[in-house]
């Protein structure tokens, strides 16, 4: 078995090495092919629109590609003309640039020279002693000085100049031509390519594969179109804003920003740095420099944090680290083109990982979705004893949801995972102790919500159950009865677990949930119902909540408790909370439900009911 596992890992490494080799070896073909595929996702919706109005497929494709090529040429002409204008206008700013360079020199280099001059004053005696020693040994600086040699190339002939220009232009022109040729054929045979891909990867389940491929294609097209539109709108906004503040060649910086925004994270700020540097060089004062920088900061923050999340979600579906790693990886293999294509390529890999079982690991490694569910993450951090991270995660969850929902969706399922490991002794006593302390700290934080610098860690002692430890801590804070006893009649909710430590902990969680909802809830044990304290008036009790995690096994105990409550606290309502074993399904029938006034199957249900009853009966 181990040999097969090692062989499988070896084969995966060999496969990865082969893929990397072909990515580098075949980049002359793969780069145009990749560009064509990504552009096909961008242009496919326009092709479909033209076909819907009655144009033939070939005409729709050729018209779409022509419009796109014309747009690229127009953008290139505008960009080139702006660069030429910038080059011709720089001489008129020569005096300003000289003054700014002189100021920078005074601020930086002259001060550095003054510091190094003082250092030379200290080190000069040692240098002179070293030179004297070298002279005594017959070594002179002149004897070791190399002889300068200058090599002059003959001037190039007109034919050589033309050949050099053609060599520099031929490569990009060939690549661009190959991209457009492949783009035309991909758009023409788009349905055929889709069918072949479906037949290749999904012959066993044709329907599911068809749905997956169509959904992935729509998602990628929607994202690329949205990204193209956002980058274009951002460039247009930069152009208008820079023209208003008075920066020369505002169109150049707008177009450059729109293009560089395809480079993740740093693209827009590269354009911002270049534009700010120009403003600094040509303006005698600092107003234009500051205004240019503010324009980029405001517009980039507006598009990056307001418009993009509203248009195509908060993120691209990629984790930030994977975007950075992908940018480094693809730029190392394919150069600048790989840097621009890194995000689209990585997004395609993540989409493939979501729909192709053999590539699931790509979605886990590169996607922004959590590899663990919230309950699994809670239990994993509890095993590590990381209470601070658990509390931070709980507080972030509580910013959008209630404490009751947190317990139903996160805490109780995590406790089920812990209970499953406890039952088979899958964790050590030390890990069990860490889990108990972490859960106690989280439960305490649910009620207090204190900032991180005032958090109080809760530590469960050996031989003490978690529920009893939490009750003891509340008694230390609020008194022996977990609160005052001189309260209005019918204002206290008593909560008790039917039996076992699991029921006691579930009951203590309910107490924390109710107290977080500003309801005076107190945890008692089953023995306290039969023998209540003599100095505590029973009239203050509004309801008694019985909590159980296993209604079938606890049916006799539940029946006995119901009878005792009816005898000892007859005016109190009797409520029951049944924690289902499978949190995705509530218990439909409960053996003891007919004997109770009301039964509930989640913390949200019982909390909402008690809160609603309290609002209707404030006395």
């Amino acid at each position: 078995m181990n040999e097969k596992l090692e062989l499988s890992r070896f084969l995966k490494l060999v496969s990865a090495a082969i893929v990397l080799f072909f990515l580098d070896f075949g980049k002359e073909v793969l780069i145009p092919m990749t560009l064509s595929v990504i552009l096909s996702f961008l242009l496919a919706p326009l092709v479909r629109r033209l076909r819907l109005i009655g144009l033939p497929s070939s005409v729709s494709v050729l018209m779409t590609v022509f419009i796109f090529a014309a747009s690229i040429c127009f953008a290139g002409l505008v960009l080139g003309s702006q660069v030429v204008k910038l080059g011709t206008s720089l001489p008129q700013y020569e005096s300003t640039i000289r003054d700014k360079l002189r100021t920078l020199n005074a601020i930086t280099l002259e001060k550095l020279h003054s510091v190094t001059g003082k250092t030379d004053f200290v080190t000069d005696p040692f240098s002179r002693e070293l030179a004297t020693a070298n002279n005594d040994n017959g070594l002179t600086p002149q004897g070791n000085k190399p002889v300068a040699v200058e090599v002059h190339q003959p001037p190039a002939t007109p034919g050589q100049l033309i050949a050099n220009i053609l060599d520099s232009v031929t490569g990009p022109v060939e690549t661009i031509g190959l991209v457009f040729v492949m783009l035309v054929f991909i758009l023409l045979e788009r349905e055929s390519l889709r069918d072949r891909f479906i037949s290749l990867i999904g012959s066993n389940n044709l329907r599911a594969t068809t749905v997956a491929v169509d959904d992935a294609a729509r998602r990628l097209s929607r994202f690329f179109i949205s990204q193209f539109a956002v980058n274009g709108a951002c460039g247009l906004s930069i152009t208008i804003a820079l023209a208003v503040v008075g920066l020369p060649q505002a169109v150049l910086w707008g177009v450059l920003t729109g293009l560089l925004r395809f480079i993740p994270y740093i693209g827009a700020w590269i354009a911002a740095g270049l534009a700010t540097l120009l403003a600094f060089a040509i303006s005698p004062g600092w107003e234009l420099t500051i205004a240019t920088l503010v324009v980029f900061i405001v517009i980039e923050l507006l598009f990056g944090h307001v418009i993009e999340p509203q248009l195509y979600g908060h993120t691209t579906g990629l984790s930030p680290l994977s975007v950075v790693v992908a940018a480094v990886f693809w730029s190392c293999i394919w150069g600048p083109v790989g840097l621009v294509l890194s995000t689209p390529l990585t997004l395609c890999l993540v989409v493939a990982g979501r729909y192709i079982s053999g590539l699931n690991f790509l979605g886990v490694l590169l996607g922004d979705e959590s590899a663990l569910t919230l309950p699994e993450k809670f239990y994993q951090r509890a095993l590590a004893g990381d209470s601070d991270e658990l509390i931070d995660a709980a507080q972030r969850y509580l910013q959008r949801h209630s404490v009751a929902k947190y317990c139903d969706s996160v805490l109780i399922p995590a406790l089920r995972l812990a209970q499953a490991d406890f039952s088979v002794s899958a964790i050590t006593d030390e890990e069990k102790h860490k889990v108990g302390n972490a859960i106690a700290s989280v439960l305490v934080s649910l009620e207090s919500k204190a900032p991180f610098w005032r958090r109080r860690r809760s530590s469960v002692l050996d031989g003490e159950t978690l529920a009893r430890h939490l009750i003891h801590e509340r008694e230390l804070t609020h008194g022996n009865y977990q609160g005052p006893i001189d309260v209005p009649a019918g204002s206290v909710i008593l909560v008790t677990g039917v039996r076992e430590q699991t029921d006691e902990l579930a009951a203590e969680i309910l107490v924390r949930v109710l107290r977080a909802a500003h309801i005076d809830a107190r945890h008692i044990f089953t023995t306290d119902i039969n023998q209540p304290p003599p100095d505590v008036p029973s009239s203050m009790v509004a309801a008694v909540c019985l909590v159980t995690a296993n209604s079938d096994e606890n049916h006799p105990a539940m029946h006995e408790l119901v009878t005792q409550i009816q005898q000892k606290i007859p005016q109190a309502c009797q409520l029951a909370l049944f924690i289902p074993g499978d949190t995705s399904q509530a218990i439909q029938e409960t053996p003891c439900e007919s004997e109770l006034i009301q039964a509930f199957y989640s913390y949200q249900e019982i909390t909402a009911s008690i809160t609603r009853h309290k609002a209707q009966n404030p006395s």
Side-chain angles (χ1 to χ4, degrees):
M1 185 67 181
N2 291 333
E3 293 180 355
K4 290 183 178 180
L5 182 60
E6 292 295 333
L7 180 60
S8 176
R9 292 176 178 175
F10 176 74
L11 291 177
K12 289 180 180 179
L13 291 175
V14 172
S15 301
I18 293 174
V19 170
L20 292 176
F21 171 76
F22 278 106
L23 284 176
D24 184 44
F25 179 75
K27 60 184 177 182
E28 298 298 331
V29 176
L30 292 177
I31 288 177
M33 186 182 300
T34 304
L35 283 170
S36 303
V37 171
I38 291 176
L39 290 176
S40 70
F41 284 115
L42 178 65
L43 301 179
L46 180 57
V47 174
R48 285 197 296 268
R49 294 291 179 87
L50 293 177
R51 292 181 63 180
L52 287 176
I53 63 176
L55 293 179
S57 175
S58 57
V59 175
S60 302
V61 170
L62 293 176
M63 185 178 295
T64 300
V65 174
F66 175 78
I67 293 173
F68 179 72
S71 302
I72 295 296
C73 292
F74 177 76
L77 290 175
V78 171
L79 192 62
S81 64
Q82 290 291 305
V83 171
V84 172
K85 287 182 180 179
L86 178 62
T88 56
S89 62
L90 283 179
Q92 63 181 333
Y93 303 117
E94 183 178 356
S95 60
T96 304
I97 295 174
R98 290 182 182 275
D99 292 338
K100 284 294 181 68
L101 291 177
R102 193 177 298 112
T103 303
L104 285 176
N105 182 59
I107 295 174
T108 57
L109 294 179
E110 289 184 2
K111 290 187 176 181
L112 181 62
H113 288 161
S114 65
V115 174
T116 56
K118 294 179 181 179
T119 306
D120 293 340
F121 177 78
V122 177
T123 59
D124 274 347
F126 300 98
S127 301
R128 287 194 293 270
E129 291 179 4
L130 182 61
T132 303
N134 289 336
N135 289 332
D136 294 340
N137 292 330
L139 298 175
T140 62
Q142 290 80 7
N144 295 330
K145 183 180 295 184
V147 178
V149 178
E150 294 183 1
V151 178
H152 296 280
Q153 293 288 345
T157 63
Q160 290 176 339
L161 290 176
I162 295 175
N164 292 335
I165 294 174
L166 290 177
D167 288 339
S168 61
V169 173
T170 301
V173 170
E174 288 179 352
T175 302
I176 294 173
L178 186 58
V179 167
F180 279 98
V181 170
M182 295 180 69
L183 176 61
V184 169
F185 283 99
I186 288 175
L187 291 174
L188 285 173
E189 300 186 14
R190 183 170 174 272
E191 290 79 7
S192 176
L193 292 174
R194 180 199 60 198
D195 296 342
R196 294 178 186 179
F197 183 74
I198 291 173
S199 176
L200 182 65
I201 68 170
S203 57
N204 294 332
N205 193 342
L206 188 62
R207 185 198 63 81
T209 306
T210 302
V211 172
V213 170
D214 289 342
D215 181 62
R218 282 195 300 269
R219 288 175 180 269
L220 291 172
S221 295
R222 191 182 307 118
F223 170 74
F224 292 143
I225 292 172
S226 301
Q227 189 182 38
F228 192 82
V230 167
N231 292 348
C234 183
L236 180 61
S237 303
I238 290 289
T239 300
I240 296 173
L242 292 182
V244 171
V245 300
L247 185 69
Q249 282 73 49
V251 176
L252 168 65
W253 305 115
V255 174
L256 192 62
T257 302
L259 294 176
L260 290 177
R261 279 190 102 253
F262 286 98
I263 300 176
Y265 295 116
I266 63 172
W269 301 114
I270 293 175
L274 295 175
T276 305
L277 183 61
L278 176 65
F280 172 78
I282 67 175
S283 175
W286 295 91
E287 295 81 4
L288 184 59
T289 303
I290 296 174
T292 301
L293 188 59
V294 169
V295 164
F296 274 94
I297 291 175
V298 172
I299 292 180
E300 179 60 25
L301 291 179
L302 175 65
F303 275 84
H305 297 275
V306 178
I307 296 178
E308 284 182 351
Q310 293 294 328
L311 191 59
Y312 52 82
H314 222 327
T315 64
T316 61
L318 309 175
S319 68
L321 179 61
S322 69
V323 172
V324 174
V325 172
V328 174
F329 173 80
W330 290 110
S331 62
C332 289
I333 293 181
W334 289 354
V337 177
L339 182 62
V340 175
L341 295 178
S342 60
T343 299
L345 283 173
T346 310
L347 181 62
C348 292
L349 293 177
V350 170
V351 172
R354 291 176 180 172
Y355 293 105
I356 301 175
S357 58
L359 301 178
N360 287 339
F361 69 97
L362 293 175
V364 176
L365 291 177
L366 304 176
D368 61 350
E369 296 181 357
S370 178
L372 301 176
T373 63
L374 289 178
E376 290 172 343
K377 195 171 184 179
F378 183 101
Y379 182 43
Q380 186 262 339
R381 287 291 85 202
L383 284 172
D386 194 347
S387 302
D388 290 334
E389 184 173 343
L390 289 175
I391 295 173
D392 291 337
Q395 291 179 349
R396 289 194 300 271
Y397 190 93
L398 294 178
Q399 292 175 358
R400 304 183 303 273
H401 307 287
S402 64
V403 176
K405 183 173 178 59
Y406 174 78
C407 293
D408 285 329
S409 304
V410 181
L411 186 56
I412 292 300
L415 290 177
R416 291 292 183 189
L417 295 174
Q419 187 180 19
D421 283 346
F422 293 163
S423 61
V424 296
S425 301
I427 63 176
T428 63
D429 292 339
E430 181 181 358
E431 291 173 332
K432 183 178 180 180
H433 190 65
K434 286 182 179 179
V435 171
N437 289 337
I439 294 173
S441 299
V442 172
L443 288 175
V444 170
S445 72
L446 293 180
E447 190 174 342
S448 63
K449 296 183 181 180
F452 72 91
W453 60 85
R454 297 180 58 188
R455 287 177 186 168
R456 180 169 56 88
R457 290 180 175 272
S458 186
S459 180
V460 183
L461 301 177
D462 293 335
E464 183 182 29
T465 65
L466 179 56
R468 293 176 185 268
H469 165 75
L470 293 170
I471 294 172
H472 179 65
E473 283 201 343
R474 187 162 53 252
E475 288 175 343
L476 292 176
T477 305
H478 300 286
N480 291 334
Y481 300 114
Q482 307 170 40
I485 59 176
D486 54 341
V487 294
S491 60
V492 175
I493 305 295
L494 298 182
V495 181
T496 182
V498 176
R499 67 178 191 178
E500 297 181 350
Q501 297 180 11
T502 304
D503 291 352
E504 290 181 358
L505 180 57
E508 177 59 25
I509 294 173
L510 178 58
V511 172
R512 300 279 172 171
V513 170
L514 294 177
R515 293 176 78 90
H518 307 291
I519 298 172
D520 190 356
R522 308 183 188 188
H523 193 162
I524 63 173
F525 299 110
T526 55
T527 55
D528 297 330
I529 296 177
N530 199 25
Q531 298 177 350
D535 55 340
V536 178
S538 61
S539 59
M540 71 178 190
V541 180
V544 179
C545 299
L546 306 178
V547 183
T548 178
N550 194 328
S551 60
D552 294 334
E553 294 182 2
N554 292 339
H555 174 230
M558 177 82 74
H559 181 81
E560 183 179 352
L561 285 174
V562 168
T563 304
Q564 293 177 3
I565 294 170
Q566 290 174 345
Q567 295 175 353
K568 300 295 181 179
I569 319 175
Q571 84 283 356
C573 297
Q574 298 181 41
L575 310 177
L577 173 61
F578 299 96
I579 306 297
D582 182 2
T583 56
S584 63
Q585 296 179 348
I587 300 174
Q588 299 300 323
E589 295 183 1
T590 303
C592 207
E593 185 174 348
S594 60
E595 303 176 10
L596 302 172
I597 295 177
Q598 199 167 3
F600 303 91
Y601 306 102
S602 71
Y603 289 98
Q604 295 178 81
E605 291 181 4
I606 193 169
T607 304
S609 178
I610 295 176
T611 303
R612 186 167 53 251
H613 181 76
K614 179 183 177 182
Q616 295 173 354
N617 302 276
S619 60

